[in-house]
Amino acid sequence: MLSSVLDSPPMNPFLDLVRFTPNEKRYYRRSVVPTVAFLAVMALAAWLVREHRADAPFALLAGIALLPVLPMGWMLKVYIDYFVACDEWEKLVEVYGICLGVLLVGMAYFALGLLGLFRLVVLDGALLAYGMLPAVMLAYSLGKVFGRWRHG
């Protein structure tokens, strides 16, 4: 045990940001297909809704518009499997990322809401709703980088 610690390379917070554990490599490999599926389904749904908006019933259009939720759910399942397989250090880094991501985006959306409430800006609710998950994921990634740096 001690020899493995002595044989391991010294911690470098900058290199450790791009070094992945085997569990992370597996997660990134498994997330490729649901990500590509999301992009394809999103493009198809946008095209179908645009082409059939005038003649298709609302329920069908709503179902088509919500199809991209399925591959996104698949992606979240891949993430949950990754998180369950994490060791304690990886889980600590993940929790840092999740916490910071949700808190930062929550505060940003709260600030935007205050500006909208006092009619200082006009907000597009559809754009805000669509941007919520990507904003959380981006902030989560930055929080994960901070967690790795802090607990590397």
Side-chain angles (χ1 to χ4, degrees):
M1 180 81 163
L2 183 58
S3 65
S4 66
V5 171
L6 295 176
D7 294 338
S8 64
M11 298 294 280
N12 182 330
F14 299 108
L15 284 178
D16 288 338
L17 296 178
V18 294
R19 281 190 198 140
F20 301 117
T21 65
N23 189 30
E24 287 173 316
K25 289 178 185 175
R26 186 172 45 254
Y27 164 67
Y28 291 125
R29 224 179 17 256
R30 289 180 179 171
S31 66
V32 170
V33 175
T35 301
V36 170
F38 168 77
L39 294 172
V41 171
M42 186 71 183
L44 178 65
W47 178 77
L48 285 172
V49 169
R50 190 174 348 117
E51 291 295 316
H52 300 288
R53 182 179 298 274
D55 57 349
F58 172 78
L60 179 61
L61 290 174
I64 292 170
L66 293 174
L67 281 176
V69 172
L70 296 174
M72 188 55 68
W74 182 12
M75 184 67 198
L76 294 176
K77 169 70 168 93
V78 169
Y79 176 77
I80 290 168
D81 292 345
Y82 158 73
F83 188 81
V84 167
C86 286
D87 62 20
E88 283 112 28
W89 178 78
E90 288 174 318
K91 283 185 180 176
L92 178 65
V93 169
E94 290 300 314
V95 169
Y96 255 87
I98 293 166
C99 262
L100 290 175
V102 169
L103 291 173
L104 290 173
V105 172
M107 287 300 292
Y109 271 65
F110 180 69
L112 283 172
L114 287 173
L115 293 174
L117 179 69
F118 294 119
R119 300 186 198 289
L120 297 172
V121 296
V122 177
L123 300 174
D124 180 357
L127 184 61
L128 286 173
Y130 180 73
M132 174 66 94
L133 188 59
V136 168
M137 289 179 161
L138 177 63
Y140 148 77
S141 298
L142 297 175
K144 188 173 172 177
V145 166
F146 179 76
R148 276 185 167 224
W149 171 77
R150 175 87 168 78
H151 293 285

